[in-house]
Amino acid sequence: MSATTESPRGTKLPSALPQRTHDGARRQYIYLAVGLVVLFFLPFVLPESSQPVLVRTLIYGIMAVGWNLMSGYGGMFSFGHAAFFGVGAYTDAVLLTNFGISPWIAMIIGAVFSAGVGVLIAYLCLRYKLAGSYFALATFAFAQMFLLLAQNLELVNRTEGINIPLLPEDSWAMLQFGQDSFNYYWIPLLLLAAAVAVTIAFVYSRPGRYTQAIRDDPVAAESLGIPIMKYRLITVALSCAITSIAGSYYTQYYLFVGPEQAFSMHVSTDAIVPAVIGGVGTIWGPLIGAAVVGPLSELVAAVVRNPPPFLEFLQGVSGLDVAIYAVLLIVIVVFLPKGIYGTIRERLRK
Amino acid sequence: MSILKLEGLSKSFGGLRALRDVTVEIPEREFFGIIGPNGAGKTTLFSVIAGQLGPTSGRVVFDGQDITGWSADKVAGAGLVRTFQLMRPFESMTVLDNVSIASHRRFRSTAKSRDHAAEVIERVGLSQYLNKMSGTLPTAGLKRLELARALALEPKILLLDEVLAGLVPTERAPIIDLLRDIHRDGVTVMFVEHIMAAVMALSERLLVMHEGAELTLGVPEDVVQDPRVVEAYLGEDF
Ligand SMILES: Nc1ncnc2c1ncn2[C@@H]1O[C@H](COP(=O)(O)OP(=O)(O)OP(=O)(O)O)[C@@H](O)[C@H]1O
Ligand SMILES: [Mg+2]
């Protein structure tokens, strides 16, 4: 192509050309670093008994950050992220118990495996032009298939699930420590920070910007020379890999995984709810959502276990958490349609 | 040498024959106008050429290559770029980012793609909106944004679908000048437009479409004298 459209005027740039992208990414990394430092010291100021809530919150955070890449930035609403969480959880358990493979390596293998599964599922859905609720339903169906598979596969001990053997001593390689070790908190914290760093890098990169263009208008994006399937699948792969890592850590922390913990529908909603509450398609929304949902789910569990006198009828009720999420989601969708963070950011910009 | 050859292009939507056996050859660097009443198939023709739709039959040959059935991204990558009559901005992005998505094809780095995008935006006269969200642009702005994104790809041939519609006359003049510039720089242009003054001023040849088929093709001055064209499209007042 010749120097066709270079205009003589074109060489003179408007003086105030903003460089917001780079500054933008750098600023996000700084927020992340500051947040990481603050959260690092959290266990020192909170009572020991709060560690399980913190860990659960971090796991929600990783799941939601992963889900948000595909569904928030990519516009492909997944209602089946349990599939990728579960593949990560089971890969860890199977590789460790059968072959003695370190959870760190299993985590990576699981992530690659999940990415492959996700790409395959997404490719099939997109190939047959499923979009919106049809796409969501298809992903849900795939996750249910994994649930059935796990319940019936001898390799993964069917409905009984897999226990991770307890080691006699601390081991970094095997990711086991004394019961209240802060390491159980710091490790998922670092994993979450890495997931957020990946999100920032992606969102401000060329592939990430293409992905957002495709979300906004696939027809226009394609007509500008963007191979939309390729970039959608890249996004899906990243999303599934991150959610898988949450699953692998889950197995290590609870030293157990079964079909329900890995693949049931509520696992998919656990990835969705924090992102929706905090703000879909934003970097910080899923984290803020997780910070709400994590403690809340613990509170609900505590109330059901041991209700105060005036709530005695709740004793042992199951599904209360789901009901509360539902109410919370309705309130958010009505009053803060872009989520807590998304709505605040929008107000600040005006 | 012709840069684009359409050989017997047809497109049906169910029973509706939106394109019927369109055969045209467009030489390099031509400014090729297309007019015709609403529903004549002009937009469909663009979609079939640029790969948004597959033809029911016929061939599209671009730059010596048969591109029939190519995906739209591949066609755009080869240098054939179209704009949309119904504008399609990336609404979550600023005007600058909308255009830099297109500039990214040549410039991997975000900063460089934005520099290039800013130049193109200045060319189409949208600089004042540089950092506005694209969804907030008025129609005239969105039309220019369509044009800017297409230009940012530095096409060999540009398919413009009613880029002047919705613009008041004072807004049209600079765009018409710009189109003239682009054409002078060596870009082949296919130009669908209802505004006859612009069509007459710019087109070297003019195709009139009617019910999916070619009604006539020739130099604009002859074409508008054709009684069939007057009857089917222009009306007696023209
Ligand atoms: N995707 C589609 N599905 C079914 N019918 C379609 C589709 N796109 C266009 N048509 C029909 O094909 C015919 C040609 O439409 P087209 O948009 O190409 O006309 P046009 O010449 O661009 O008209 P206008 O001047 O109004 O833009 C019309 O009858 C239209 O209703
Ligand atoms: Mg049209």
Side-chain angles (χ1 to χ4, degrees), chain B residues 43 85 161-162:
Chain B
T43 297
Q85 178 181 358
D161 199 351
E162 303 200 13

Side-chain angles (χ1 to χ4, degrees), chain A residues 247-269:
Chain A
S248 297
Y249 187 75
Y250 178 96
T251 301
Q252 284 305 316
Y253 183 66
Y254 294 101
L255 296 175
F256 172 74
V257 62
E260 289 292 320
Q261 289 78 11
F263 291 119
S264 70
M265 192 182 87
H266 83 251
V267 179
S268 292
T269 48

Side-chain angles (χ1 to χ4, degrees), chain B residues 38-39 41-44 85 161-162 192 194:
Chain B
N38 295 117
K42 305 178 296 292
T43 297
T44 305
Q85 178 181 358
D161 199 351
E162 303 200 13
V192 166
H194 284 293

